[in-house]
Amino acid sequence: MSEPARAAVEAEAARLSSKGLSDLGYADAELERAARLIVRIKELKAQKNAVIPVHVYQRPEVIHGIADFVGDSYKLSKLCSETKAAAIVFCGVSFMAETAKILSPDKTVLLPAPEAGCSLSESITAADIRRVKARHPGAPVATYINTTAEAKAESDVIVTSANAGRILRKLYRDHRKVVFLPDKLMGQNLAMQLGKTPGKDIILWKGTCIVHDNFDSASVGLYRRMYPGVMILAHSECSPGLVSVVDFVGGTGDMMRFVESTDAPFYMLVTECGLGELARTRFPGKRFLPMCRLCPYMKAVTLERVLAVLEKPSAADAVEVDPGVQDRARKAIERMFEMAEEGGK
Ligand code: 13P
Ligand code: SF4
């Protein structure tokens, strides 16, 4: 592919700067380097009729440079199920790209960093779930979306951070006991929220997120003394100890909506660092305090790798799911769409 025109690169670099990347600390040379890649990616994307969904934890130049849509796991899965594009280039991690493939089996789904896993999805196998089901017959299995296609295929319903409470509450209408897998901390938070006892009426697994498992509540009091009025928000994958001392708990979409709809002197987003960077660009008038960690899986996607999969995808970049697994996993995901969107609490 030929070098992009100088004027196009300059216009793109100026656009990135106006989106807030200069305020995040990007130097002009970095913006220009990103802009050169973005111009080429956009040309190829149009040629190949591809769409680029981007998770909120991705790098700012990926979010602001090439995304067709940006969101949490729920929003991205929903939009991927509706897209008319021929190909999906997923800027996120493997379980997200697999979910897109399950929902759009006829499309080409490419993951620019095929090794981008997730500690939660790696914590449990389909065989593990079959063993749990055998020990708790009749209990519905609600599985977090951060799991493999094979794990989803063993599940009754998939949930995300945006709807886990709502879906579990509905399951308890007809069942005394529910299995929630694989995030132990999110499961403990749900148990607290719903008044359930882990091991008795909510059966949990031992998975944790390597990013959210590592925050603790010790510094929360100090932050509150140093920054009076600070609103502290935590992702629902954080520990119950932390969750019990913050002002708001939810998924990334909920956290962004909370920031948008409130007016605090300071905000602290206890989650992956990408969300704080996105919040700073979306709400330039608000002030954010740092308390974040990087997810190495999410950060494996770069503009260079997106360009490479569009130019010449390797076999490893194309996401494939066994057709039998795909059908069963799709039913569990579609059950989530129904339960999350139908009326009632
Ligand atoms: P969200 O669905 O809240 O964006 O969470 C995805 C994730 O991987 C959190 O660590
Ligand atoms: Fe998985 Fe945690 Fe990374 Fe999300 S932040 S992709 S849950 S390891």
Side-chain angles (χ1 to χ4, degrees), residues 131 155 236 290:
R131 278 191 287 273
S155 311
S236 39

Side-chain angles (χ1 to χ4, degrees), residues 316-334:
D317 300 326
V319 178
E320 297 299 342
V321 180
D322 174 85
V325 167
Q326 196 157 277
D327 282 351
R328 289 186 297 136
R330 190 176 55 244
K331 285 199 184 86
I333 300 170
E334 284 171 352

Side-chain angles (χ1 to χ4, degrees), residues 57-71:
Y57 291 162
Q58 292 285 297
R59 297 162 186 261
E61 67 272 27
V62 174
I63 293 185
H64 293 290
I66 58 171
D68 287 299
F69 36 89
V70 179

Side-chain angles (χ1 to χ4, degrees), residues 8-156:
V9 172
E10 278 172 8
E12 183 56 38
R15 195 186 66 79
L16 290 176
S17 178
S18 75
K19 290 282 173 189
L21 270 68
S22 299
D23 294 336
L24 288 181
Y26 282 61
D28 289 349
E30 285 175 276
L31 292 181
E32 196 177 313
R33 192 191 63 82
R36 196 170 292 117
L37 293 161
I38 290 165
V39 171
R40 292 167 68 195
I41 289 170
K42 285 183 174 166
E43 277 171 28
L44 282 173
K45 185 167 86 90
Q47 273 169 29
K48 302 203 167 180
N49 186 16
V51 71
I52 305 188
V54 178
H55 187 262
V56 289
Y57 291 162
Q58 292 285 297
R59 297 162 186 261
E61 67 272 27
V62 174
I63 293 185
H64 293 290
I66 58 171
D68 287 299
F69 36 89
V70 179
D72 63 6
S73 309
Y74 186 79
K75 180 175 170 185
L76 295 182
S77 61
K78 195 75 195 150
L79 291 171
C80 283
S81 73
E82 292 162 359
T83 180
K84 299 274 180 287
I88 298 173
V89 179
F90 209 111
C91 294
V93 295
S94 172
F95 76 81
M96 296 179 173
E98 257 186 7
T99 303
K101 181 69 183 178
I102 292 164
L103 293 167
S104 301
D106 302 332
K107 296 190 196 307
T108 302
V109 178
L110 299 168
L111 179 59
E115 80 285 8
C118 165
S119 62
L120 282 169
S121 81
E122 284 150 22
S123 75
I124 194 160
T125 65
D128 291 327
I129 301 185
R130 284 194 291 274
R131 278 191 287 273
V132 174
K133 287 200 288 195
R135 283 201 295 275
H136 303 280
V141 177
T143 296
Y144 195 32
I145 197 162
N146 298 40
T147 42
T148 60
E150 290 75 13
K152 288 184 175 74
E154 293 296 333
S155 311
D156 295 298

